[in-house]
Amino acid sequence: MQIDPTPAKYATIANALRSRIDNGVYAPGSMLPSEAQLVREFHASRSTVVRALEYLRQLGYIEGVQGKGRTVLGPPPQRSCTPPARVLDALHAREVRHGLLIGAGQAPASPGVAAALAIPVGEPVIARQRVMTSEDSDWPALSTAYIPVVAADGTGFGAKELMHEGALDHLERRRRLVAGDVVERLTPRLASAQERMLLTLDRHAIVLHSLLTVRSSSRQPLLLIDVVMHVPSPGIEDTFSLH
Amino acid sequence: MQIDPTPAKYATIANALRSRIDNGVYAPGSMLPSEAQLVREFHASRSTVVRALEYLRQLGYIEGVQGKGRTVLGPPPQRSCTPPARVLDALHAREVRHGLLIGAGQAPASPGVAAALAIPVGEPVIARQRVMTSEDSDWPALSTAYIPVVAADGTGFGAKELMHEGALDHLERRRRLVAGDVVERLTPRLASAQERMLLTLDRHAIVLHSLLTVRSSSRQPLLLIDVVMHVPSPGIEDTFSLH
DNA sequence: CTTGGCTGGTTGACTAACCAAGTTGGACAG
DNA sequence: CTGTCCAACTTGGTTAGTCAACCAGCCAAG
């Protein structure tokens, strides 16, 4: 039977202090107790205390000034996520051959499109549909960009000419906008007949449907890209750090 | 007139070693010189050398085994995202009611399980299956944890008793391991008959299959969790920053 | 052949001590 | 009141030492 080991003293000290910072006991901007105080509290040598503090410093929880003391910085900010490749592909894929552009033109916004763009159902939008190839994406995909007509003014979204830059690149350049983030909603479903035909899929093919809402920094929807991907085994792979 | 200060000795050592790792002088997988060797090379005390090594360890460049030496891991990979909620749920969901544990016991590793755990097909693994409820997860899900029998020694994975902590928490505590990252492979497919029954799904229900490989900091697979989720509209939502 | 003990090496953790460099507050003089 | 000095306190860096726990190789005994 395995006996649980006692954690190392420096780890105990580091974790205790870290918890206090995470829980707000030591607020950001406040001074941490001095080394001498911590030596007394944790019955450890100074070197052991310093080792724990160094660990927290490297994690970004605290910052020390010689002669003055250590300041609490707070829990290190959560890194914001870079979009995975499939999202970036959809935002930036250029139209390089005429055969890939299925169509472009005005249509009334469906309920789904209206909800994603925060506009009334039926409001006119420009829809632009294209096939994404292995040059654009890891898997065969069908991509439809939607943008409200008023917002498409001055852009080439409704034109029959190829857009030699990605949809987001084009919008940002033509409308002098800066996108802030993108929200992806991912659902699995059966491929429609049109999708099967355009992507050369089997009768019962299952696809991943990704609805990408590009927003401004104030969260206003700017552009919607509806992507349908046929993802073969071993599927979409992502790696996440656990510390 | 400010004269540039001589960098601290430990910083000089850490930066020298870090450069050698970045430049491939010490290749990933190789052994770093011993502390005694570095003491001689850099004319420093052992504690000073250890301080430099500890800094690199925390950055993720190296990993040490007591009595054996330190292994070069290589430059740390670009920090990836915090795992999304569905992944964290699967890693940390506790078993709180007996009805949710479907079964636990030994089985030979299927090709998929073997590949994910980097073990031979047919090698005995412990499989533990449970239903995840709305307390655990945003959607109904079926979760099966797989761990090689030898690695399950000293854990409760094969037992019929409930595990009152998450699978990863349990493994880390019982085996004194620290997980480094988790790789997710996501595919859409039709639900199997068992999945439909256990998750109360329709005849043609489509599910998302998420295969999670938990790895150590040296990328060795530790634990596999196979999750099948029924994701209703509007699907899995994620937000990504664009700057 | 296997097993156990020994040796030399390895890292992990902890303590003690020293020196350096800086901050802060109080006391004192002008 | 302002400026200077000094003591007490602070963190930064380094060395030396000890004990514990482990690995790998070697050799002897069964």
Side-chain angles (χ1 to χ4, degrees), chain A residues 18-227:
Chain A
R18 183 179 179 167
S19 291
R20 292 178 195 172
I21 295 173
D22 285 335
N23 295 334
V25 177
Y26 301 143
S30 65
M31 299 305 294
L32 207 63
S34 70
E35 294 175 359
Q37 286 170 320
L38 296 172
V39 162
R40 287 194 295 273
E41 177 182 346
F42 290 103
H43 301 102
S45 75
R46 186 192 154 216
S47 295
T48 301
V49 163
V50 167
R51 181 166 182 194
L53 293 171
E54 174 66 18
Y55 178 75
L56 292 178
R57 184 197 65 81
Q58 204 172 336
L59 282 183
Y61 274 88
I62 59 176
E63 182 177 61
V65 176
Q66 190 167 329
K68 187 168 183 178
R70 287 176 172 89
T71 306
V72 176
L73 298 177
Q78 202 77 307
R79 292 217 177 253
S80 64
C81 298
T82 302
R86 70 181 180 274
V87 172
L88 292 174
D89 292 343
L91 300 184
H92 299 298
R94 297 171 299 151
E95 295 161 3
V96 291
R97 271 174 281 133
H98 280 276
L100 301 179
L101 180 60
I102 308 295
Q106 189 166 317
S110 69
V113 169
L117 287 175
I119 55 174
V121 177
E123 174 161 327
V125 294
I126 304 289
R128 185 175 188 92
Q129 189 172 54
R130 54 152 311 174
V131 172
M132 293 170 73
T133 67
S134 56
E135 291 168 309
D136 303 316
S137 170
D138 289 341
W139 315 281
L142 190 59
S143 161
T144 314
Y146 296 94
I147 175 168
V149 165
V150 292
D153 193 31
T155 72
F157 280 99
K160 304 303 185 213
E161 285 76 45
L162 294 185
M163 283 189 357
H164 294 287
E165 58 191 337
L168 178 57
D169 309 298
H170 183 78
L171 180 67
E172 284 184 316
R173 186 173 63 84
R174 284 291 179 85
R175 298 293 308 220
R176 296 193 186 144
L177 300 174
V178 180
D181 64 14
V182 56
V183 181
E184 182 189 42
R185 292 185 181 87
L186 203 53
T187 41
R189 59 168 171 76
L190 277 175
S192 70
Q194 188 203 20
E195 287 155 5
R196 295 201 298 272
M197 184 190 66
L198 291 172
L199 299 178
T200 325
L201 303 180
D202 291 341
R203 183 180 183 81
H204 298 293
I206 294 174
V207 290
L208 266 181
H209 176 208
S210 165
L211 208 51
L212 301 168
T213 307
V214 179
R215 306 186 300 185
S216 68
S217 52
S218 54
R219 309 282 189 271
Q220 184 193 357
L222 301 174
L223 173 69
L224 174 67
I225 305 187
D226 179 319
V227 188

